[in-house]
Amino acid sequence: MQCLYCHCDDCQRVHGGAYLPAAMYLTSQTSIVAGDPILWKLRTTERATCRSCGTRLFAEPPGFGVRSITASLLPEGVFRPAFHMQCQHAVRPIQDDLPHFKQFPAIFGGSDEKMLW
Ligand SMILES: [Zn+2]
């Protein structure tokens, strides 16, 4: 599991915020235990929304075999972010001690290129 902040313009639009705190699990490590979420796409990433309350539950970026779970849904203490990604879309520079990847880190098939802010 990898905890991160995603600044992609999809997450910004879908969640109505500057970035999304999320935890990436292998899809096989997760399951839907209650309800019947609405599955939909803004562009390419399939997303799940709770049919009852509208909460954005998770996303499945194509080609990675992972499910990105919205961090606010995790038990307290589980979300421990390791990096920011897709910072090329960041609304503002972020000042913290984590790496700020311009696109994706190498562990997700990216270049590991970092922002120069
Ligand atoms: Zn994103």
Side-chain angles (χ1 to χ4, degrees), residues 15-49:
H15 292 271
Y19 52 85
L20 172 69
M24 294 268 198
Y25 290 86
L26 292 174
T27 303
S28 61
Q29 295 175 311
T30 69
S31 61
I32 298 169
V33 296
D36 177 27
I38 299 166
L39 302 177
W40 59 283
K41 292 178 186 175
L42 178 64
R43 284 187 279 207
T44 58
T45 297
E46 186 156 47
R47 297 178 182 272
T49 295

Side-chain angles (χ1 to χ4, degrees), residues 6-117:
C6 184
H7 295 258
C8 82
D9 51 356
D10 262 27
C11 287
Q12 289 172 354
R13 292 172 69 186
V14 167
H15 292 271
Y19 52 85
L20 172 69
M24 294 268 198
Y25 290 86
L26 292 174
T27 303
S28 61
Q29 295 175 311
T30 69
S31 61
I32 298 169
V33 296
D36 177 27
I38 299 166
L39 302 177
W40 59 283
K41 292 178 186 175
L42 178 64
R43 284 187 279 207
T44 58
T45 297
E46 186 156 47
R47 297 178 182 272
T49 295
C50 176
R51 197 173 293 275
S52 299
C53 69
T55 297
R56 306 291 192 231
L57 303 172
F58 60 83
E60 294 183 347
F64 293 103
V66 296
R67 183 172 279 177
S68 169
I69 298 176
T70 304
S72 60
L73 302 174
L74 299 172
E76 188 173 333
V78 170
F79 181 69
R80 282 174 276 156
F83 57 86
H84 295 256
M85 68 178 199
Q86 292 283 51
C87 293
Q88 63 185 340
H89 299 288
V91 174
R92 292 184 50 113
I94 302 295
Q95 305 295 326
D96 64 21
D97 295 335
L98 300 175
H100 302 104
F101 296 108
K102 185 173 184 178
Q103 295 177 327
F104 294 101
I107 58 169
F108 292 165
S111 69
D112 261 357
E113 182 182 354
K114 296 194 179 71
M115 298 299 286
L116 300 175
W117 57 37

